Structure formats: C-alpha cells, structure tokens
Amino acid sequence: MDDAAPGGRSDQELLALHAAGDPDAFGELVRRHRDRLWAVALRTLGDREEAADAVQDALVSAYRAAHTFRGESAVTTWLHRITVNACLDRARKAASRKTAPLDDTERLERLLEPHEPADAPAERHDLHRQLLAALATLPPEQRAVLVLVDMQGYPVAEAARILDVPTGTVKSRCARGRAKLAPRLTHLRADPVDNTDAERGRNRTQGTSVPPAAEPRHPDPGSVKGGGGRT
C-alpha cells in the first residue's frame, strides 16, 4: 500500500494529480520518498556525488514518465525501480572505467550513517568502513540486492518487484553476494559461532533518514530539468 500522510492523499493519487498538471503533487512524493531513495543510491554506489546524480536522474525520469504509471505496483516500488536502474547504469559505467567507488579513507568517512555520532567509538567507525568497502567489491547487481534486502530490510518479493526480476534471481544474487562477503567480514565479529549479521552487513532499519543538506543535487520538484535514467 502506498504511503499517505494522515488525512492526506495516497502516493498513487499524488502521481495522478502530477500527471494531470498539479504543480505541487510531485514535490510531495519527493518529500515522502527522498530519504529512502537516497539511502539505496548511496549504499549501492558508495559515493555521495554519484548517488546524488543517480537520484536526480531517477526523479527526472519519474517526473517525466508519471503518465505511464499503470498502478501494477506501488508507487514506492516504481520509484525504487527507477532509482536502482539509474544506480546500476552508473555502477556499470564506473566499472568500465575501472574505477572503484570506494577507494579512499576520506570518502568512506563521509559515508558513515547519518545517525552515527561524531564521538562514536573508533571501532564502530572502522567496522562501518569495512562493511562499505566489502560491499563495494561486489558486482552492481549483487550489491543492489544486498542493499535492498540486507541493509534496507525489504522482503525478497518486494526487492524482486523493485528490480523487476524473479524472486529466485533475488535469492540467488543474495546467496552469491553473501558468500563473497563472508570471508571479508567474518573477522569483524567477536563471536565466531554466530557471524550471520556481520556476513550480511545487516541493518534492518528501512528508509534511513538522510538530512536534505546531504543531497544538494536533488531536483526542485516543481521545475525538474535535465537528467535521464531508465524507466
């Protein structure tokens, strides 16, 4: 079911209003879903500038393609699909240039969770950096699946709808991704018997909130210009 503020309009109603010419409807959709889209993009790409560009591309595409939405999935699923596609496009281009998305300590420092206090233990910071660096070694498709399922907490079926692939594909990509991450992350757990959470980089808080200031490149909802991305 689509999100809706108490007494407000549903996502689908807002998208329909936008397609009909309402100047404010798309802005409300962006406000509702921006943080979750940003969290997925940041964790998938591992670079703030690339993630901001991917989200902007995705929102531009959604803005332009609203009239094509047929209600076969939730609006949030549709928005996530467009965002993940934009991220995968950028990740593939980065791979073709043979550049790693997480290749220096300074960049990793900037990717710490927004709620992580500045005075958090150094061990916690180091753990998070290692998790992000390990995730960045995976192929883009496996990375996207693990971000959705293991970090954002989406059920396998919902991740499959977002990625527009069968649930079996999501499960197999998760399994392969976790298998590749396991040897890199096992040492991060003090208890060698139970390292499932560390192996999976698990963070089950869906929709990590990111302050608007961290996403300066998002388009103005009322006047989206430029961009691209796949729909």
Side-chain angles (χ1 to χ4, degrees), residues 15 18-19 26 29-30 37 55-69 75 78-80 82-83 224 228-231:
L15 196 63
H18 164 65
F26 193 77
L29 276 177
V30 171
L37 299 178
V55 172
Q56 176 164 305
D57 287 350
L59 291 178
V60 169
S61 291
Y63 184 93
R64 293 173 172 171
H67 66 283
T68 69
F69 181 76
V75 171
W78 181 71
L79 290 172
H80 275 74
I82 295 172
T83 301
V224 183
R230 287 163 37 189
T231 56

Side-chain angles (χ1 to χ4, degrees), residues 3 10 12 31 47 52 75 83 93 100 132 135 137 145 155 176:
D3 293 344
S10 70
Q12 191 162 343
R31 283 187 288 274
D47 180 282
V75 171
T83 301
K93 290 175 182 177
L132 288 169
L135 189 65
T137 65
V145 166
R176 290 197 297 270

Side-chain angles (χ1 to χ4, degrees), residues 77-201:
T77 300
W78 181 71
L79 290 172
H80 275 74
R81 181 182 303 144
I82 295 172
T83 301
V84 170
N85 281 338
C87 289
L88 293 179
D89 282 344
R90 288 185 171 274
R92 293 185 188 108
K93 290 175 182 177
S96 69
R97 296 192 301 266
K98 301 184 185 302
T99 59
L102 295 175
D103 56 8
D104 62 65
T105 302
E106 182 180 359
R107 183 179 297 171
L108 287 169
E109 290 283 359
R110 296 198 301 268
L111 295 178
L112 291 173
E113 292 289 350
H115 61 263
E116 189 77 24
D119 59 351
E123 293 82 1
R124 172 69 177 175
H125 286 234
D126 187 60
L127 170 64
H128 198 87
R129 287 196 298 272
Q130 291 186 59
L131 290 173
L132 288 169
L135 189 65
T137 65
L138 298 178
E141 290 79 6
Q142 291 176 17
R143 196 187 315 161
V145 166
L146 290 184
V147 166
L148 289 172
V149 175
D150 285 349
M151 300 186 77
Q152 294 300 109
Y154 286 99
V156 168
E158 180 68 7
R161 286 191 288 270
I162 290 171
L163 297 169
D164 198 21
V165 298
T167 56
T169 299
V170 171
K171 292 178 181 178
S172 64
R173 287 178 183 175
C174 279
R176 290 197 297 270
R178 290 165 185 162
K180 291 177 182 177
L181 289 182
R184 293 176 175 271
L185 302 180
T186 300
H187 69 285
L188 300 181
R189 292 284 292 184
D191 180 1
V193 176
D194 181 12
N195 55 27
T196 303
D197 286 352
E199 291 173 359
R200 297 182 180 181

